[in-house]
Amino acid sequence: GAGVSQSPSNKVTEKGKDVELRCDPISGHTALYWYRQSLGQGLEFLIYFQGNSAPDKSGLPSDRFSAERTGGSVSTLTIQRTQQEDSAVYLCASSFGGYQPQHFGDGTRLSIL
Amino acid sequence: GQQVMQIPQYQHVQEGEDFTTYCNSSTTLSNIQWYKQRPGGHPVFLIQLVKSGEVKKQKRLTFQFGEAKKNSSLHITATQTTDVGTYFCAGPSVSYNTDKLIFGTGTRLQVFP
C-alpha cells in the first residue's frame, strides 16, 4: 500500500513569504505528527493530531507556525513570514495511535533565501 | 519536562567492530521503540520492546529494555557499512493530556570500511 506522502519534496522561497507543506498519511492512521529536522540534528516535535482530539501544539516554535488536519486525513503545515532559521527538513509521520510505531514520509526540504 | 537522552551522540567505528547506543529516559516507560534514519532518508521503525528486561534480536542487532523500564540499548555486532545512519529511541509521553511519542536525541553511527 501507499506510504505517507509529503509535498512538495523541495521548496525554495524568499524570506518573508508564506509556505504550505502538505502531508497525506497512511489510510486508516488516526495519529499524525509533524517534526522539523535541521541538518545533522535530531527530530524536533512540532504538532500532534490524534483523531478528533484537540491537537497537541506544544512544539510549535512561534505563532508563525500553524497546522490543520482536514477530515481526519490530510494535514497542512503553514509557516507565515518565513525566516532563514526556518530552513530545515519538515517530516510528517502517521500511526494507528499515539504509542504505535510511526511511519514517516520522505519530508519537505525547505530553504529560505 | 520528560526527556529521552541517547549516548553517545556520535560514534565512528571500523567495519567489523561492535557498536552500542544507550537510551535513557527521565521517566518510566510503558514501551520503547527504535528507529533508524539513513543519511538523506527518513526514520524507519525497527522494533518495539514492552516488557521489563526484554531482549530482542534482529540478525546482528540486539535490543534490550532495562529492568526498571527507564533505559534501553541497541547493540550491533560486527558492523557493516550498511549500518551507517542515526539511531533514535522513542517512548510514550507520561503527560496526562497527551499520548504522543517522545524521540531521543539520536546516535549517529559512521562505519569506515
Side-chain angles (χ1 to χ4, degrees):
Chain A
V4 176
S5 178
Q6 291 189 245
S7 62
S9 54
N10 287 283
K11 177 72 176 179
V12 180
T13 192
E14 293 179 347
K15 175 182 171 182
K17 300 285 189 182
D18 298 352
V19 295
E20 272 193 2
L21 311 180
R22 175 187 169 107
C23 174
D24 217 324
I26 291 173
S27 179
H29 279 188
T30 58
L32 187 148
Y33 294 77
W34 283 97
Y35 298 93
R36 181 168 68 176
Q37 189 173 39
S38 299
L39 187 63
Q41 301 300 309
L43 298 170
E44 178 186 3
F45 165 76
L46 296 178
I47 189 168
Y48 164 49
F49 297 90
Q50 169 61 297
N52 295 320
S53 301
D56 179 346
K57 304 180 182 180
S58 60
L60 294 178
S62 77
D63 58 8
R64 296 187 295 105
F65 288 73
S66 63
E68 62 177 22
R69 188 178 186 190
T70 53
S73 181
V74 173
S75 177
T76 55
L77 175 68
T78 301
I79 308 173
Q80 296 179 311
R81 304 181 302 282
T82 51
Q83 304 294 314
Q84 287 190 332
E85 60 263 29
D86 300 334
S87 297
V89 175
Y90 289 80
L91 290 163
C92 174
S94 71
S95 73
F96 283 114
Y99 297 163
Q100 297 303 309
Q102 296 184 11
H103 298 258
F104 284 78
D106 289 335
T108 294
R109 183 175 300 275
L110 177 64
S111 300
I112 309 300
L113 303 179
Chain B
Q2 183 179 1
Q3 292 187 323
V4 181
M5 305 297 292
Q6 288 182 246
I7 54 172
Q9 187 175 3
Y10 301 100
Q11 183 84 58
H12 298 173
V13 299
Q14 203 75 33
E15 188 172 24
E17 292 181 338
D18 291 357
F19 159 77
T20 303
T21 173
Y22 299 91
C23 174
N24 298 294
S25 171
S26 58
T27 60
T28 302
L29 301 171
S30 60
N31 69 79
I32 192 86
Q33 300 176 18
W34 285 91
Y35 293 75
K36 176 184 179 181
Q37 184 177 23
R38 294 181 185 271
H42 57 264
V44 175
F45 172 76
L46 295 176
I47 206 162
Q48 178 172 287
L49 305 172
V50 179
K51 299 177 183 177
S52 169
E54 187 172 14
V55 178
K56 286 188 175 180
K57 292 189 175 183
Q58 290 180 349
K59 297 182 181 179
R60 293 177 295 103
L61 276 60
T62 302
F63 304 84
Q64 187 166 9
F65 200 7
E67 294 290 339
K69 301 183 78 174
K70 293 185 70 175
N71 53 71
S72 180
S73 64
L74 159 58
H75 180 81
I76 303 178
T77 302
T79 55
Q80 299 176 0
T81 53
T82 54
D83 296 324
V84 167
T86 301
Y87 293 85
F88 293 97
C89 62
S93 169
V94 298
S95 177
Y96 73 96
N97 62 348
T98 183
D99 61 350
K100 69 185 180 211
L101 274 181
I102 308 291
F103 275 83
T105 47
T107 295
R108 183 185 298 175
L109 173 64
Q110 182 62 263
V111 180
F112 295 111

